Amino acid sequence: MKNMLDKTDQVMLNILQNSLPLSVQPYKDIAQELGIEEDEVLKRIARLKSEGLIRRIGGIMNSSKLGFSSTLCAMSVPEDRIEATAELINQMTGVTHNYLREHHYNVWFTLTVRSQAEVKKQLKELEEVSGLKVISMPASKVYKINVSFDMEKQNEL
Amino acid sequence: MNYDEIDAKIIQMLQGDLPLTSRPFAQLAQSLELSDFEILDRIRLLQDKGIIRRWGAVLRHQQAGYRFNAMVAWQVDADKADKCGEIMAGVKEISHCYLREVPADFNYVLFTMIHARDEQELAAIIAKVSDLTGLQDYAVLKSTREFKKVSMQYF
């Protein structure tokens, strides 16, 4: 941990992740729960954002319920073409994650776009431009999506 | 579709970062000529419909102390996939678990994202999951470089 979190930070982070009130003044409600002033909640959140611990506060959507199609893709890219290929992928609309991984398939990215047809079109274009095969692995079943961390039990995992 | 143009505007705000002000919905409410209450009601409805999957702060897991993360993909017979997927979902160090359609030359269909604080812990978690599920054949896909990681912008 880059910076020490005090008990109030820890409790606040858990509330922010798991039970952020849907109210007109959510930070005031959190302040009351923590027994501090609203201003202090706002200051603490601003600090944790500037330190990089909090990425953002908002919603995570279910892309398929919004009518979008998403898939996990992988490519086997020769060493000397990795940079150019990664750059090409990064520029595609709807690519949110793109990583180099230790495997024969070494470049992995996620694509979320408006339709199945758009997925096909974009991947076909990528194959044409790169001259490399792209494998597409859409999810057929979701067992878990949970991106919250218990900040009060840092040392108990 | 299950949402209208006003919902799309609300989603556009919620996919980003909520303003850090006392009344974070006020600005959007004013621009849509709605009340804060009406915005909140719509957000609740979007949650009920499952369009908003989760609501709250999103942390950077590296900053949260989880520096050793790996995508681990598991080979599993079709008739055991659900049972194993449910077991994996119950493991707290696993944040994501999906069954995926894969090509024949990549035979690992159950995908998990595992978060650990060091390499040793990662190995221990993988061993634990292997024990719990009885699955022996898996690929550890450690990321060595991040080219891109952004939140999805739908609208």
Side-chain angles (χ1 to χ4, degrees):
Chain A
M1 179 83 26
K2 193 169 63 182
N3 298 285
M4 290 301 292
L5 302 173
D6 65 17
K7 187 71 190 164
T8 304
D9 284 335
Q10 292 172 18
V11 176
M12 184 183 78
L13 281 164
N14 278 353
I15 296 170
L16 285 172
Q17 288 184 95
N18 304 312
S19 54
L20 178 62
L22 261 176
S23 60
V24 174
Q25 294 181 290
Y27 303 119
K28 194 174 173 185
D29 296 339
I30 292 173
Q32 267 169 9
E33 205 174 328
L34 292 171
I36 58 177
E37 293 297 313
E38 182 184 26
D39 253 7
E40 195 187 335
V41 168
L42 294 172
K43 273 185 200 144
R44 281 176 184 260
I45 295 173
R47 192 192 82 233
L48 294 168
K49 277 186 183 175
S50 73
E51 288 173 2
L53 177 56
I54 298 178
R55 181 189 297 278
R56 64 186 183 91
I57 296 175
I60 294 177
M61 312 307 153
N62 181 333
S63 57
S64 65
K65 293 220 164 150
L66 280 171
F68 282 65
S69 296
S70 71
T71 184
L72 174 69
C73 301
M75 298 170 80
S76 183
V77 183
E79 194 71 31
D80 61 345
R81 306 254 309 266
I82 286 171
E83 292 294 331
T85 308
E87 188 54 37
L88 195 62
I89 294 166
N90 281 354
Q91 284 167 9
M92 287 164 61
T93 315
V95 169
T96 55
H97 296 66
N98 185 13
Y99 289 92
L100 186 66
R101 296 188 182 278
E102 288 176 351
H103 191 265
H104 155 67
Y105 285 113
N106 54 355
V107 173
W108 292 71
F109 63 94
T110 55
L111 180 67
T112 305
V113 287
R114 283 190 173 272
S115 67
Q116 207 56 53
E118 184 65 21
V119 169
K120 276 194 179 142
K121 180 170 163 276
Q122 289 220 34
L123 296 185
K124 186 164 172 281
E125 266 176 28
L126 177 60
E127 286 187 329
E128 283 170 7
V129 175
S130 67
L132 299 166
K133 189 176 155 40
V134 181
I135 61 168
S136 172
M137 297 166 280
S140 49
K141 201 151 185 182
V142 178
Y143 297 107
K144 188 179 193 179
I145 301 181
N146 180 22
V147 283
S148 76
F149 295 94
D150 191 341
M151 301 307 288
E152 290 173 81
K153 291 181 180 166
Q154 273 284 311
N155 301 312
E156 289 181 23
L157 264 184
Chain B
M1 200 44 68
N2 214 4
Y3 56 97
D4 63 16
E5 275 172 39
I6 292 171
D7 292 329
K9 293 271 186 215
I10 292 171
I11 291 163
Q12 202 170 31
M13 179 188 75
L14 296 183
Q15 74 192 358
D17 198 7
L18 203 65
L20 199 48
T21 56
S22 184
R23 276 176 54 201
F25 304 100
Q27 211 184 326
L28 182 72
Q30 277 160 25
S31 74
L32 294 174
E33 296 182 342
L34 296 170
S35 65
D36 292 27
F37 280 156
E38 284 169 304
I39 298 281
L40 290 164
D41 283 345
R42 277 181 177 263
I43 294 174
R44 278 185 207 104
L45 202 57
L46 289 168
Q47 274 185 323
D48 291 345
K49 287 178 182 169
I51 289 176
I52 298 173
R53 196 195 286 285
R54 204 171 79 75
W55 156 249
V58 180
L59 305 191
R60 286 190 177 82
H61 47 72
Q62 263 113 348
Q63 244 77 7
Y66 299 84
R67 283 163 217 286
F68 260 80
N69 309 304
M71 179 187 272
V72 181
W74 309 75
Q75 198 279 318
V76 61
D77 295 334
D79 60 331
K80 291 197 182 111
D82 275 355
K83 189 170 160 273
C84 292
E86 300 297 342
I87 292 171
M88 288 165 171
V91 175
K92 64 182 169 185
E93 296 91 345
I94 291 178
S95 63
H96 296 68
C97 182
Y98 302 93
L99 186 67
R100 294 187 178 278
E101 297 162 29
V102 301
D105 72 329
F106 189 86
N107 204 19
Y108 304 98
V109 291
L110 260 180
F111 281 72
T112 52
M113 281 301 309
I114 300 183
H115 301 266
R117 272 166 292 174
D118 53 50
E119 184 133 35
Q120 223 180 348
E121 194 176 72
L122 178 66
I125 297 163
I126 293 170
K128 179 174 84 178
V129 174
S130 180
D131 270 359
L132 287 170
T133 57
L135 301 180
Q136 308 281 339
D137 189 7
Y138 53 87
V140 181
L141 302 155
K142 273 184 214 161
S143 66
T144 50
R145 255 182 91 182
E146 181 181 290
F147 298 120
K148 188 176 191 182
K149 185 174 183 189
V150 296
S151 299
M152 179 62 192
Q153 308 293 306
Y154 291 97
F155 305 107

